[in-house]
Amino acid sequence: MSVIVHHESQQVSKVPRPGRITYPFTYMTNVYTRSDRRGAGIGSELLKQVNEWAKEQQYEFIIV
């Protein structure tokens, strides 16, 4: 078995701001699809799943 797609995320806590609820955000790096598997929508599906995961975790945004 081999890795076809890889992604790594790191949560970053935000500095509190008076009068505003702040949520952490995530930094996403090392995103790639193996060259022999590109063009099949695998990377797009990964990003879709990452977006859904980020919403579930209540991240304010994702830095790519």
Side-chain angles (χ1 to χ4, degrees), residues 35-62:
S35 60
D36 62 328
R37 298 299 180 107
R38 292 181 186 152
I42 297 169
S44 296
E45 182 62 28
L46 173 69
L47 292 178
K48 178 182 167 188
Q49 295 297 320
V50 168
N51 279 326
E52 289 177 15
W53 168 80
K55 287 178 186 178
E56 290 170 3
Q57 300 302 311
Q58 296 184 326
Y59 289 130
E60 191 166 347
F61 56 86
I62 303 171

Side-chain angles (χ1 to χ4, degrees), residues 2-35:
S2 61
V3 175
I4 296 171
V5 179
H6 179 265
H7 134 267
E8 185 173 330
S9 293
Q10 175 67 44
Q11 177 180 317
V12 180
S13 299
K14 295 187 74 172
V15 177
R17 292 175 57 184
R20 181 172 182 249
I21 296 173
T22 59
Y23 296 97
F25 62 92
T26 187
Y27 178 81
M28 187 170 72
T29 185
N30 298 330
V31 180
Y32 65 86
T33 303
R34 275 188 1 200
S35 60

